[in-house]
Amino acid sequence: MFYFKVAEKFVSINGEGPRAGELAVFLRFCGCNLDCGYCDTRWANTADVKYALASAEELVAYVKSTGVKNVTLTGGEPLLQADIARLIVLLGASGAEVEIETNGSVPLKDIVSLSPRPAVTADYKLPSSKMEKYMLTENFSCLTLRDAVKFVVGDICDLARAEEIINAYGLTEKCRVYFSPVFGKIKPEAITDFMKERKLNGVRLQLQLHKIIWKPDMRGV
């Protein structure tokens, strides 16, 4: 039996994405294949991170015990987990609405073919992250209007690059598109001004609700 390395699990509101403001069960897994300069969960990817081992069945039982329908699989990078497809299927079969937060560097083709199909929020790493070279643009063809692409923006150069990607791949016609500021690096007003100047219809500015409601570095929220 495969056991997942779970850094934390908890119930809170979803702080960002299509289900922002809704209750969700969060399952955060250890490990990531990227190292973004602004990463706010780097602690979950260190070699000495404390974790609990849990089987897919145990995680499904935990989710059911909460009484909350939305489930967010996050990390780290959840799609690196060897048995993640089976967990997604079991969660869906139990009645959960599964959302996967993925960093944009892992293929999505097999994940979106699962039944029930999970929703996907995929990052596109912009220049300030130093990780753009790892982005798999072929993933964009897997997305639908129930999915989202999130651009985490650190400066004006990031915004310009995000606009290039949105236009090159017609993202606002394929899925939901979000600009999310790196906390403390760029003002939401600057992003709003850019959206107005460039007439970016179909793009949404989002703020990380959990960093507004609680302390920005608080875990388990």
Side-chain angles (χ1 to χ4, degrees):
M1 179 180 292
F2 181 82
Y3 288 91
F4 295 90
K5 291 182 177 180
V6 182
E8 59 179 353
K9 61 184 190 293
F10 57 92
V11 174
S12 185
I13 61 162
N14 210 319
E16 52 192 328
R19 296 175 181 164
E22 293 186 36
L23 282 177
V25 186
F26 288 83
L27 303 178
R28 186 182 305 283
F29 302 101
C30 301
C32 189
N33 58 324
L34 301 183
D35 186 21
C36 298
Y38 51 72
C39 182
D40 56 5
T41 55
R42 186 172 279 110
W43 63 269
N45 309 322
T46 59
D48 61 350
V49 63
K50 294 181 180 180
Y51 59 84
L53 292 174
S55 67
E57 289 79 6
E58 288 169 336
L59 292 175
V60 171
Y62 166 72
V63 170
K64 290 178 70 173
S65 75
T66 69
V68 175
K69 188 173 184 180
N70 291 332
V71 181
T72 298
L73 307 183
T74 189
E77 172 49 60
L79 296 184
L80 296 179
Q81 300 293 313
D83 209 25
I84 198 69
R86 181 166 175 270
L87 174 60
I88 292 168
V89 170
L90 288 178
L91 285 169
S94 75
E97 295 286 343
V98 181
E99 177 189 13
I100 300 166
E101 292 185 341
T102 179
N103 65 25
S105 72
V106 182
L108 294 175
K109 183 179 179 181
D110 292 341
I111 293 299
V112 298
S113 68
L114 296 174
S115 181
R117 182 194 186 281
V120 173
T121 295
D123 283 3
Y124 184 91
K125 304 300 185 184
L126 296 166
S128 71
S129 73
K130 310 299 184 185
M131 295 289 121
E132 186 177 12
K133 65 182 178 181
Y134 299 107
M135 295 297 93
L136 298 181
T137 53
E138 56 265 37
N139 278 340
F140 294 150
S141 64
C142 299
L143 303 179
T144 69
L145 292 176
R146 68 182 301 215
D147 304 312
V149 172
K150 180 179 67 178
F151 294 94
V152 179
V153 177
D155 53 35
I156 295 299
C157 291
D158 279 355
L159 284 169
R161 179 59 176 155
E163 183 186 18
E164 289 178 1
I165 296 297
I166 291 166
N167 291 337
Y169 294 94
L171 291 184
T172 55
E173 304 302 317
K174 295 177 183 291
C175 62
R176 307 180 197 200
V177 178
Y178 295 89
F179 286 166
S180 182
V182 178
F183 193 82
K185 292 295 185 181
I186 186 171
K187 292 183 178 180
E189 296 93 329
I191 299 177
T192 303
D193 289 342
F194 183 88
M195 292 169 65
K196 288 163 61 179
E197 291 165 4
R198 308 303 296 178
K199 297 179 173 58
L200 293 182
N201 294 298
V203 177
R204 297 171 171 88
L205 169 64
Q206 68 168 19
L207 304 179
Q208 294 175 295
L209 294 178
H210 51 291
K211 292 187 178 181
I212 297 171
I213 298 171
W214 297 282
K215 293 180 180 180
D217 59 351
M218 185 174 289
R219 301 180 189 178
V221 296

